[in-house]
Amino acid sequence: MTTALPTLAIAPIGDPDVAAVVALWQACGLTRPWNDPAADIALARQGSNAAVLIGRDGGAIVATVLVGHDGHRGWVYYLAVDPDRRHNGYGRVMMDAAENWLRDTGIEKLQLLVRADNTSVKHFYQSLGYSMQERIIYAKWLDGREPTP
């Protein structure tokens, strides 16, 4: 028996939503000192190759996802569900929205990065049909900063 997914009102982020979304990302432990989440939102909103989608239950923002593509592969960042509302299917709904956004732009493959210490999401992504792929990630700060973890 399949459980019905919850209904969320999903829309692109608006200016009045930015502070609440940043607060949600912080509550979910998704931000890092070297990344400015408000700047990430602003950058995503500049072009047509990315979007920050928010999910509302009633008027409350309960989930988000930043989705984008490089013209070849889609990427997901900042998948967040209000910690008090987890295990209700909101993460699955937001991932469906991200996948549909990418399909609508003609992108056929979605990838995402998970920090090695974030083991709690492994089963979630596997339940959505994602598989782990062994890759080595190289990174460089273009402003000359030292590498970050």
Side-chain angles (χ1 to χ4, degrees), residues 28-52:
C28 292
L30 298 179
T31 60
R32 294 297 182 263
W34 53 85
N35 288 347
D36 176 357
D40 289 346
I41 291 169
L43 183 60
R45 296 176 75 194
Q46 283 182 1
S48 61
N49 68 326
V52 179

Side-chain angles (χ1 to χ4, degrees), residues 50-84:
V52 179
L53 304 177
I54 58 172
R56 293 183 194 272
D57 183 3
I61 296 174
V62 298
T64 68
V65 65
L66 190 159
V67 59
H69 67 85
D70 58 17
H72 184 64
R73 291 183 180 89
W75 292 90
V76 163
Y77 305 91
Y78 291 113
L79 175 66
V81 174
D82 182 323
D84 294 331

Side-chain angles (χ1 to χ4, degrees), residues 2 16 21 37 80 101 111 123 128:
T2 308
V21 168
W101 188 92
Q111 297 184 157
H123 295 292
L128 299 180

